[in-house]
Amino acid sequence: MRYRSIGDVEVSAIGLGAMPLSIEGRPDRERAIATIHAALDAGITLIDTADSYHWNAGETGHNEVLIADALTTYGGDSDAVLIATKGGRGRPGDGSWTVTGTPAHLKNACEGSLKRLGVEAIGLYQLHKPDENVPWADSVGAIKELADEGKIRLAGVSNVSSAQILEARGILGEKLVSVQNEHSPAYLAHEPELALCTELGLAYLPWGPLGGISGASRIGAAHAGFLAVAEDHGVSPQRVCLAWLLAKSPSVVAIPGSTRPATIRDSAAAADLVLTAGDLARLP
């Protein structure tokens, strides 16, 4: 496992995106816990979650509770694991997603996450999405207050533009350590934000790095270059895709989702796959 930095914390270059373990189509609890344990066994030390990662109404924090239980029952050492959670979105239970970025909501959301994770301070707390009805400075300001109060150690923002990153940095200063945007072979619109994070020394956590839950299995078919490089290395196209993302910038820490131990073990191995210049020339 190779490691990268989020603020002053060293984490595995590949993390676990835990959302699929709690939303629609989620596995049973036993397999979900086994998947998290497999990630830890593979050397993963970053787990990404959010209070809104659940399926039905009334399940707020389902994913956070699942992760807390998995860490409690893990037989190995999990002290170095960084849990990154988010606040600012909701799920009413009808399949939709809401956005609420008011300071009051974010502070209440953080309190709920603290209790569910069973910690005194959240390792990395990220503002899930800008709320078009709330000034960005107000939402980010609430995150700064949580950091100043010691309730979160590190702060991040998600689903943001370059201008929003710069504004957040102006408010949070060095407390801003990460940006989490969609990024995959099928979605390259946030290349400017990746470049900005690289320039500023912020960690960049691409969500949906394999094209989302439905797209992961089609990486090789949708992008022939990944299949060709995978065949040359004797690995999966998914592993090549994650290694390609890591090669884009030292700021990248990829967080692929998984619902099975086998797939997260394969994803974790991408941290040790070094692609040549020739390999990269065949990829997007």
Side-chain angles (χ1 to χ4, degrees), residues 206-226:
W207 65 262
L210 298 175
I213 297 171
S214 61
S217 63
R218 300 195 302 270
I219 284 289
H223 305 276
F226 289 103

Side-chain angles (χ1 to χ4, degrees), residues 81-266:
V81 175
L82 177 66
I83 304 300
T85 193
K86 296 180 285 295
R89 302 206 73 180
R91 302 207 72 197
D94 60 1
S96 66
W97 295 76
T98 60
V99 182
T100 308
T102 62
H105 175 84
L106 293 170
K107 292 177 181 179
N108 287 335
C110 181
E111 292 292 347
S113 293
L114 283 165
K115 293 176 182 176
R116 288 185 292 268
L117 293 171
V119 296
E120 294 183 357
I122 293 171
L124 172 59
Y125 195 70
Q126 301 183 106
L127 180 51
H128 206 153
K129 188 175 184 178
D131 184 342
E132 62 182 18
N133 297 311
V134 178
W136 180 236
D138 290 356
S139 297
V140 177
I143 302 300
K144 182 179 186 302
E145 288 181 23
L146 290 169
D148 290 343
E149 293 168 4
K151 293 180 178 178
I152 66 175
R153 294 195 176 96
L154 302 171
V157 290
S158 181
N159 299 299
V160 288
S161 66
S162 293
Q164 288 166 331
I165 294 171
L166 291 172
E167 187 174 357
R169 184 175 175 86
I171 295 168
L172 288 163
E174 294 185 358
K175 293 184 185 297
L176 179 69
V177 300
S178 66
V179 171
Q180 185 171 329
N181 279 356
E182 181 178 7
H183 214 120
S184 73
Y187 192 88
L188 297 171
H190 284 302
E191 290 281 337
E193 285 70 37
L194 170 56
L196 178 60
C197 287
T198 303
E199 177 187 341
L200 297 177
L202 302 176
Y204 186 82
L205 283 56
W207 65 262
L210 298 175
I213 297 171
S214 61
S217 63
R218 300 195 302 270
I219 284 289
H223 305 276
F226 289 103
L227 180 59
V229 172
E231 290 175 344
D232 287 349
H233 285 271
V235 300
S236 70
Q238 291 79 13
R239 194 183 303 185
V240 172
C241 180
L242 295 172
W244 163 78
L245 275 169
L246 294 180
K248 279 181 166 290
S249 166
S251 289
V252 171
V253 179
I255 47 171
S258 180
T259 61
R260 295 183 291 124
T263 53
I264 194 56
R265 283 194 288 264
D266 185 70

Side-chain angles (χ1 to χ4, degrees), residues 50-102:
D51 61 356
S52 57
Y53 290 170
H54 61 90
W55 186 347
N56 306 302
E59 288 186 330
T60 298
H62 181 282
N63 200 239
E64 293 173 324
V65 172
L66 182 70
I67 291 167
D69 289 348
L71 292 177
T72 299
T73 58
Y74 183 58
D77 183 7
S78 60
D79 289 345
V81 175
L82 177 66
I83 304 300
T85 193
K86 296 180 285 295
R89 302 206 73 180
R91 302 207 72 197
D94 60 1
S96 66
W97 295 76
T98 60
V99 182
T100 308
T102 62

Side-chain angles (χ1 to χ4, degrees), residues 22 24 36 38 95 127 137 153 237 253-254 269 282:
S22 290
E24 294 87 333
I36 297 171
L127 180 51
R153 294 195 176 96
V253 179
R282 290 187 283 174

